[in-house]
Amino acid sequence: MAQRVQGTEDLFGGYMRAWQHMQDVARDLFGAYGFDMVETPAIEQVDTFVHGIGESTDVVRKEMFRVVSGALFENLFEQGSEAGLKPKQRLAMRPEGTAGVVRAAVENNMVPQGAAPAKLWYAEAMFRGERPQKGRLRQFHQVGVEWLGAADPAADAECIIMLMEYYKRLGFDPSRLKLSINSMGDAACRPAYREKVRQFILDHADEMCEDCLERAEINPLRSFDCKNDHCREVMRDAPLAKDNLCDDCAEHYAQVKRYLDAAGVTYVEDPTLVRGLDYYTRTVFEVEAVDGGVGAIGGGGRYDGLMELEGGKPTPGIGFAVGFERIALALAAQGGSLETPQPGCVYVAGTSADEREAVFSATLALRQAGVRTEADYQGRSLKSQFKQADKLGARVCVVIGPDEVAANAVTLRDMETHEQTQVPAAELVSAVTARLAK
Ligand code: AMP
């Protein structure tokens, strides 16, 4: 029997409703902040991610699932390399949402010069070829936002405030969330800072792992969150971004913190917080659930250079992404749950096969009126239909027997009290909806 791919999950039942709930809460909350939903394709040209996320990142180098059509696959197999492929033929599954949304914003001119910012949110599956483990999947789901065209530090603060409110509405106790923030500088101050960190790593080469030595040349800031504990310890003495910000970045960061303070948001400043993707500038942030046991449950930051990297005009941007599976795990670890109960329904029961057509019509009429309605499709006895109705959480059962058919009526059975009343068939919908509203 074929099995699902390791590191992927099937979403159904309560788990599916949890994912929908996460989207519903996002739609309400982000909508109030002026964000509209967007969906970009799950496959993009590899270049979209190389330009945006950065050639040197683990995500692009090792974790992207590459896509080839069957015809191309055979060709590639024969040639043994992708060297002959055109950029249009080099495709990948999206490992994150930002690069694709920014590519779409450039391609569709969503932020024309002088126009109001584009404020977009998405709820999509992401794909990363990581080693599967708890809270680390190969296909996972993110809710994210991208706010393009706003350089104002208020946008950074509002994103963070909205994110923390989102966790609260999903059921997290805010006192058990840890929000870390940092500023990574910009094109004016980061190159010199990066060079200082590179030099620091080279000066401590004999104490650092192979990966960090490689990182020193391509992405030295990543050594701050090396998986090797000893490297991280050495990096504690490395130069910190906050001490190397230019005046503009320092003022931007200070203003973000003033806004957060004014909104009463609690945060810790973590000068070693560097997010894994190259495109971040200035503000970066990450959220962990205390005792959640799954690492970061969300994070984001500013990416003022990204629109240009994707071929657009210089346009500031900021956003975040929140992982559904990790939220579900972290909430469960804290004793909560994202799952919403299955919505109740009305059950239409027939006493015998003779009433099947009357049951059929009543079921349709209720559904047409928007009432979630179930019936029997397996020839069950009346008793077993009542059992089924209970299992489905039906509050009301519509019972149709020969007497009801003869009287052109239906019997309504309250599933809690088992009290029964007959009403004319013409009043079926109004009588049922009145009972459900009680
Ligand atoms: P990132 O784009 O790596 O910052 O990820 C943003 C959020 O997505 C993280 O904070 C996690 O909640 C979630 N996430 C990232 N990678 C994975 C993964 N492999 N499996 C499940 N969730 C993930």
Side-chain angles (χ1 to χ4, degrees):
M1 187 183 66
Q3 290 179 325
R4 71 187 146 81
V5 173
Q6 233 199 338
T8 66
E9 291 182 334
D10 300 310
L11 268 57
F12 60 94
Y15 199 43
M16 183 70 226
R17 283 196 297 279
W19 173 224
Q20 284 176 324
H21 176 63
M22 206 165 138
Q23 297 179 42
D24 291 344
V25 175
R27 190 170 295 108
D28 273 1
L29 175 63
F30 304 168
Y33 277 77
F35 286 81
D36 285 325
M37 200 171 191
V38 67
E39 181 164 331
T40 59
I43 47 174
E44 293 272 353
Q45 289 183 26
V46 166
D47 284 349
T48 298
F49 304 116
V50 170
H51 294 160
I53 304 173
E55 185 108 55
S56 64
T57 55
D58 283 353
V59 169
V60 166
R61 287 202 307 164
K62 304 182 197 154
E63 295 167 5
M64 245 170 17
F65 279 107
R66 306 288 289 265
V67 180
V68 274
S69 69
L72 217 53
F73 184 74
E74 284 189 2
N75 235 326
L76 268 182
F77 208 69
E78 275 165 23
Q79 289 170 8
S81 115
E82 61 165 11
L85 293 189
K86 300 186 188 92
K88 276 186 184 169
Q89 296 171 314
R90 298 175 61 228
L91 307 178
M93 307 290 292
R94 60 172 167 235
E96 56 96 58
T98 305
V101 170
V102 169
R103 190 270 313 138
V106 172
E107 200 166 332
N108 299 291
N109 194 23
M110 290 187 201
V111 200
Q113 212 82 50
K119 298 168 87 171
L120 307 163
W121 77 275
Y122 57 83
E124 290 172 342
M126 305 294 162
F127 308 85
R128 293 188 197 173
E130 302 192 83
R131 198 166 59 79
Q133 50 187 292
K134 185 179 171 201
R136 193 171 292 282
L137 294 157
R138 293 178 143 191
Q139 175 172 343
F140 58 100
H141 299 80
Q142 285 185 339
V143 163
V145 311
E146 314 297 348
W147 186 342
L148 308 170
D152 190 336
D156 308 43
E158 286 186 19
C159 264
I160 296 174
I161 293 163
M162 184 169 88
L163 174 63
M164 299 316 284
E165 174 65 21
Y166 187 44
Y167 290 122
K168 200 168 135 193
R169 293 199 190 177
L170 292 177
F172 281 98
D173 170 356
S175 71
R176 297 180 74 193
L177 293 176
K178 182 180 163 206
L179 164 66
S180 306
I181 63 168
N182 188 25
S183 174
M184 293 179 67
D186 65 3
C189 53
R190 194 149 66 177
Y193 170 60
R194 200 179 145 114
E195 178 51 29
K196 275 193 192 175
V197 176
R198 187 185 83 97
Q199 201 51 56
F200 177 89
I201 297 172
L202 296 180
D203 291 347
H204 294 77
D206 50 344
E207 298 174 73
M208 310 285 287
C209 74
E210 287 288 315
D211 279 351
C212 279
L213 296 182
E214 201 182 318
R215 279 184 193 121
E217 298 309 328
I218 52 177
N219 200 348
L221 304 191
R222 292 296 294 158
S223 293
F224 281 110
D225 59 2
C226 179
K227 289 187 180 96
N228 186 319
D229 292 343
H230 185 65
C231 293
R232 285 207 311 277
E233 215 173 294
V234 175
M235 290 303 287
R236 272 194 208 138
D237 295 325
L240 295 176
K242 72 176 167 79
D243 302 324
N244 289 276
L245 297 177
C246 60
D247 290 349
D248 285 351
C249 284
E251 177 45 32
H252 185 98
Y253 188 39
Q255 186 59 48
V256 172
K257 288 186 283 182
R258 283 194 287 272
Y259 282 132
L260 292 180
D261 292 337
V265 170
T266 314
Y267 56 85
V268 288
E269 285 184 72
D270 177 356
T272 67
L273 175 64
V274 287
R275 305 244 323 131
L277 316 179
D278 272 1
Y279 54 58
Y280 286 112
T281 53
R282 295 193 165 173
T283 316
V284 287
F285 48 96
E286 215 159 71
V287 181
E288 250 181 81
V290 179
D291 302 326
V294 287
I297 55 168
R302 182 164 274 290
Y303 44 79
D304 291 343
L306 185 55
M307 285 282 271
E308 250 178 306
L309 290 172
E310 295 290 0
K313 292 185 283 283
T315 309
I318 181 158
F320 63 72
V322 169
F324 159 65
E325 291 81 0
R326 286 206 201 160
I327 295 267
L329 287 168
L331 253 182
Q334 290 192 350
S337 171
L338 262 190
E339 293 191 19
T340 51
Q342 190 172 18
C345 68
V346 168
Y347 196 96
V348 185
T351 52
S352 75
D354 293 343
E355 288 77 45
R356 190 65 191 87
E357 281 181 23
V359 167
F360 180 82
S361 307
T363 306
L364 280 195
L366 286 165
R367 287 179 181 159
Q368 230 131 33
V371 179
R372 189 181 168 104
T373 309
E374 265 309 337
D376 167 49
Y377 299 88
Q378 291 152 305
R380 291 169 196 262
S381 68
L382 186 63
K383 195 171 155 205
S384 141
Q385 289 179 65
F386 285 156
K387 259 198 201 152
Q388 178 78 358
D390 265 333
K391 218 165 142 192
L392 292 170
R395 280 169 51 203
V396 178
C397 230
V398 177
V399 189
I400 305 178
D403 293 350
E404 281 82 3
V405 173
N408 199 18
V410 295
T411 294
L412 300 188
R413 177 183 170 94
D414 184 308
M415 293 304 282
E416 220 167 84
T417 61
H418 294 179
E419 183 194 317
Q420 303 201 150
T421 16
Q422 214 178 67
V423 298
E427 288 168 27
L428 167 72
V429 171
S430 57
V432 166
T433 40
R435 269 168 196 254
L436 290 179
K438 263 195 220 158

